[in-house]
Amino acid sequence: MGTSFGRGGATTFQQDLQNADCILIEGSNMAECHPVGFQWVMEAKARGATLIHVDPRYTRTSAVADMHVPIRAGSDIAFLGGIVNYVIGHDAYFHDYVVAFTNAPTIVSGDFVDTEDLDGVFSGLDAEQRSYDPSSWQYEGATVQASSGQREQEPDTRVAEQQGSPGSHSGEHQPSVSGSGRGTTHGSGGAPVPSSVERDETLQHPRCVFQIVKRHFSRYTPEMVEEICGIPQDLFLEVCRTVAENSGRERTTALAYAVGWTQHTVGAQYIRTAAILQLLLGNIGRPGGGILALRGHASIQGSTDIPTLYNLLPGYIPMPHAHRDEDLDMFIEGASTAKGYWGGMRSYLVSLLKAWWGPHATEANDYCFDYLPRLTGSHGTYETVMAQMDGGCKGYFVVGENPAVGSANAKMQRLGMANLDWLVVRDFSLIESATWWKDGPEIETGELATEDIGTEVFFFPAAAHTEKNGSFTNTQRMLQWHHAAVEPGGDARSDLWFYYHLGRRIRQKLAGSTDEMDRPLLELQWDYPTEGSVTEPSADAVLAEINGWDAEGRPLTSYEQLDEDGSTACGCWIYCGVYATGVNQASRRKPGREQSWVAPEWGWAWPANRRIIYNRASADRDGKPWSERKAYVWWDEDEAKWVGHDVPDFDPAKSPWHRPPAGATGAQALAGDDAFVMQGDGKAWLYVPAGLTDGPLPAHYEAQDSPFPNLLYPHQQRNPVRQVFSRRHNRYHPNPSQPGSDVFPYVLTTYRLTEHHTAGGMSRWLAYLSELQPEMFCEVSPELAAERGLEHNGWATVITARGAIEARVLVTDRMRPLTVQGRVLHQIGLPYHWGPNGYARGDAANELAGLSLDPNCHIQEVKAMTGDIRPGRRPRGAARVELVEEYIRRAGITADTGMEARGGR
Amino acid sequence: MNIGKWPALRQLTTNDPSGRGAAVKSARTEHLTPRTVQADSIAKSVCPYCAVGCGQNVFVRDKKVVHIEGDPDSPVSRGRLCPKGSASLQLTTGDARLYEVLYRRPHGTDWEAMDLDTAMDMVADRVIKTRREHWQWDQDGKRVRRTMGIASLGGATLDNEENYLMKKLYTAMGAIQIENQARI
Ligand code: SF4
């Protein structure tokens, strides 16, 4: 969502769903996976809203929906693209909104060539290097910098990180970068003032974004949707009509999705298609509208905002890439935008460096910018696993996560860990990631022997949420503080304790070192007050640092106060204000019934406690609500400020008619109708001129493993720049027209249940939850059961080129066979919570998944795979490996199968 | 036994058709008091499972967590918890939790107990050693100032403050392969 709107977070909040006139849930089984949040959907329904559920399976969400639309897993872009085509073709878009707040009128460079004219790929593709040079995607006569996504990167760096050829990710060998091409994606060399962006507000110019989008999606017809997604045309058209009728001045439609959308080789573009649709319908920034990303972990939003991610620093500042002689100035020039709030990048980064290195960070030494380690490509979790297997990565901390069963290609995860010097696991119980050396599947098959594994393993018991203070950021960007009820027992400790004391010990041991490499550690600001009998560091003090302070040590109240002269320190600029006036705002708990439905005094939401972001767009160009019914934030002429139900996501005193003076930069350059304040042009992006690696517009590509050819782009089967890895334990299935593809005739899709949590580390060890969902199963239709001789309650073995697992069979009408491209397709549902440890046991669905990644966010594709199913339990011991090898032989799979960038039918 | 006292009958005859009121009380339950009443204190908390972020009230008695239930004050959850949130008493106090550090030596066939202090010290030594052995100042003539020897996975179930200290310490160490469930 970052590239479309400017920030990578849900645009709205769960309670606001009650204001929707229509809710489209796709890629999420909200009733079962986010059951308590689902009450707001039911509130909307009680008020007359229409609920549409698009999902391969019929679930409890479908059961209460007005429409359930069964869809082939992996075809969502074709479906949403079809709605986009309908909305444009039927003039059902919200014209005034689109003209005012999106880049629809903006003219795109004549160098850009669309998939229409290039056989299913965009201009700039280097098929050999598996990457796009995005320079031809820019606006006419202007270069804008993306507000998120791929920013601080040179094209040649990107080239290197897309390489999927064998060995290119091995060990210490990192893809090389060269100095050429600098600045192309940087917007450097004098980023133009935004007013120079050419716009045609009649939307008629053949190269304006609107016309490009219109042409691009024109082939996404109802007939195509039926053929590709398996959705009958009349059902599809009913969805189109319902969504269109429930959008506009008077009405709004909300869209909710979950990880079902991100886990694809085109995952980022799924969300982009949803963003395009919601923008055309005028549903962003308005009550009852928006896109709600439903996240599966308590603080997955928080761990992206304050990222334990390789490519980001806190607050979505990019980690620097290695460039020749880069200093702070060059970095800022490359990563910030000329216009909008990213224009303040220098203040945000300097304040972060001050929070980390305090008095050692001075203007003279670039505020210790050089202390930041540099990237040379993609260093995501899957590259790391391969580096472990190849011997380049020797120490590994696994903290509240269970990759031995929870990550795709679970075998490679374990083989990686078996090749470490040391492994630290911090969890409540002995999860599979702690015990694989003793009882993992490879021990049973004989592929590994315990005595041969040299990895030293430390298991540290973790403290529970009731035993520590701290904040979670929920799915609606809201920070909520939880208070320690008791101290942890025994040697159980919080991760705050672990990292604080580990850092303290390392610094003690290195004290006195004059080695330059130790300086960032020794000069690190690491003095936190401790409390209680276990010397727990104060989480409150850490939050205060995240919030930041001024030169006198006073807590800051807003990121607008951050300065680039080193006088302010702030650990995460988007969280600035969470400790305003020295009060922990995240722990505010004014009961909901004592405040408005927006409940601004419960917890604290970033940015600046705004609950619906981009809410300037809830009013028209002149600052008036689009309708009384949907009034949210508006311009009050008498008071000369923006007022309403929420904190305005806009300069409160900037009039709707304000036009920036020539030469203005940053937030000063935003006009009174630039509602998307983070964007380099102040507008939401239907078309993304910079920031994505796989194209400025979404295109339907088939999944890595798919039983069907790509009907929309017959000469381009898959995303040409997806990340693929040809390795012994990571083989792909044959292309649909190749012999052997019928060996894996069914579509597999993974999902979760109400009673378990992700890889099970927090649920399979609980008797209550284990009793409710005691073992691994698979869901199949009665038709498939008949075809393969599967018996309800019996056993089945599911096989891919990566692994074979067994599961109990659940024969159910909830799995409906679809008709796709004239033939019947069966889909198999696989919950992915299990592993061999704990009370509730079973094989892990992730044994089946291969690594093929979305090139933007490097997320693996597990929502749409292919495989085979047969009755009976899987073989034991070495025979399990032999079974998989037999399938590989039978399908004719080699190291090259499924690897091609172009073509691949 | 007096049939008139049977709960099912009372349910039907005493205006409690769903059996959630007086009809299901017995002489014994009459004299029970809820754990919530016996508590010494209540800590305000948040469910640790999914990102709905339901409010929880954690009841403490004699320095032990005795009960966890939904917080009716929360504008998001309005007092409700799903099966996972409702089971969080077992998550936090259940018998499957471990309270001691375990160590498996290279090529070892079983766990050994280890005290926390020793384990922390050993991990600190290993970080220092691996970092030194796998230190890179440059790659292809460009300054990188980092170590590719140390990686980390996890964060989405942790507090913001924990993620913050992790990112801060790892970055100062020069470790870049830091990842969490956002990519799972
Ligand atoms: S109670 Fe259930 S819905 Fe609420 S946060 Fe916990 S897991 Fe999510």
Side-chain angles (χ1 to χ4, degrees), chain A residues 14-15 35-36 39-40 43 174-178 263 295-299 302-303 307-312 356 370 373-374 376 380-381 384 392 394-401 406-407 422 428-429 434 437-438 450-457 459 461-462 465-475 480-483 485-486 489 491 495-496 499 505 509 515-518 520 525 528 543 545 571 592-593 602 754 756-757 762 765-768 839 857 860, chain B residues 43-54 56 58 60 63 65 71-78 80-84 87 90-92 95-104 106-111 116-117 119-128 130-132 134-135 137 139-146 148-172 174 176-184:
Chain A
Q14 294 172 92
Q15 301 98 293
V36 181
Q39 66 180 294
W40 300 108
E43 287 284 350
Q174 289 300 317
S176 63
V177 291
S178 70
Q263 291 173 346
R295 318 222 182 223
H297 298 80
S299 202
S303 65
T308 34
L309 294 172
Y310 83 87
N311 55 335
L312 293 173
W356 285 5
D370 180 50
R374 265 53 124 226
T376 46
T381 177
T384 297
K394 303 310 287 184
Y396 198 23
F397 292 92
V398 173
V399 194
E401 186 163 350
S407 294
W422 51 270
F428 296 137
S429 323
W437 50 271
K438 202 174 179 226
T450 300
E451 294 79 7
D452 298 341
I453 298 169
T455 310
E456 196 178 22
V457 186
F459 174 84
H465 72 296
T466 48
E467 298 154 358
K468 58 190 189 185
N469 292 308
S471 62
F472 291 137
T473 303
N474 85 343
T475 207
Q480 301 185 96
W481 192 263
H482 56 85
H483 295 265
V486 294
D491 287 341
D495 297 287
L496 202 69
Y499 282 95
R505 278 171 198 264
K509 286 175 190 277
D515 195 330
E516 175 65 19
M517 70 177 269
D518 295 331
Q525 301 300 291
Y528 298 100
L543 187 70
E545 177 178 318
R593 58 191 170 275
W602 183 274
T754 308
H756 282 293
H757 186 246
M762 290 167 71
W765 277 260
L766 273 60
Y768 299 155
Y839 292 137
C857 26
Q860 81 291 353
Chain B
K44 290 288 192 180
S45 195
V46 183
C47 175
Y49 285 99
C50 89
V52 170
C54 296
Q56 293 188 331
V58 179
V60 179
K63 298 196 173 156
V65 173
D71 181 355
D73 290 349
S74 165
V76 177
S77 59
R78 300 189 292 190
R80 295 148 166 101
L81 293 175
C82 81
K84 289 191 291 291
Q90 205 171 52
L91 173 76
T92 55
D95 55 10
R97 265 187 79 181
L98 293 188
Y99 293 96
E100 59 167 359
V101 176
L102 295 174
Y103 175 68
R104 184 258 176 177
H107 308 286
T109 53
D110 213 343
W111 292 110
L116 179 60
D117 202 56
M120 288 298 291
D121 210 56
M122 286 171 74
V123 173
D125 285 339
R126 275 146 190 75
V127 168
I128 291 170
T130 305
R131 178 173 178 265
R132 220 161 271 286
H134 293 266
W135 186 256
W137 279 111
Q139 180 170 302
D140 301 321
K142 291 173 185 172
R143 191 167 174 89
V144 290
R145 192 170 194 148
R146 71 182 183 194
M148 296 297 283
I150 300 172
S152 174
L153 186 67
T157 58
L158 313 181
D159 297 340
N160 291 316
E161 295 72 21
E162 297 177 324
N163 276 282
Y164 181 75
L165 285 200
M166 289 168 74
K167 184 72 179 185
K168 185 175 175 180
L169 182 63
Y170 285 136
T171 306
I176 57 172
Q177 298 157 102
I178 312 307
E179 286 281 277
N180 70 40
Q181 293 91 332
R183 268 193 260 275
I184 296 299

Side-chain angles (χ1 to χ4, degrees), chain A residues 429-448:
Chain A
S429 323
L430 287 175
I431 55 170
E432 289 80 2
S433 299
T435 68
W436 51 270
W437 50 271
K438 202 174 179 226
D439 52 20
E442 288 71 28
I443 306 291
E444 192 209 298
T445 57
E447 291 164 281
L448 292 175

Side-chain angles (χ1 to χ4, degrees), chain A residues 3 846 891 902:
Chain A
T3 42
N846 278 310
R902 282 295 266 137

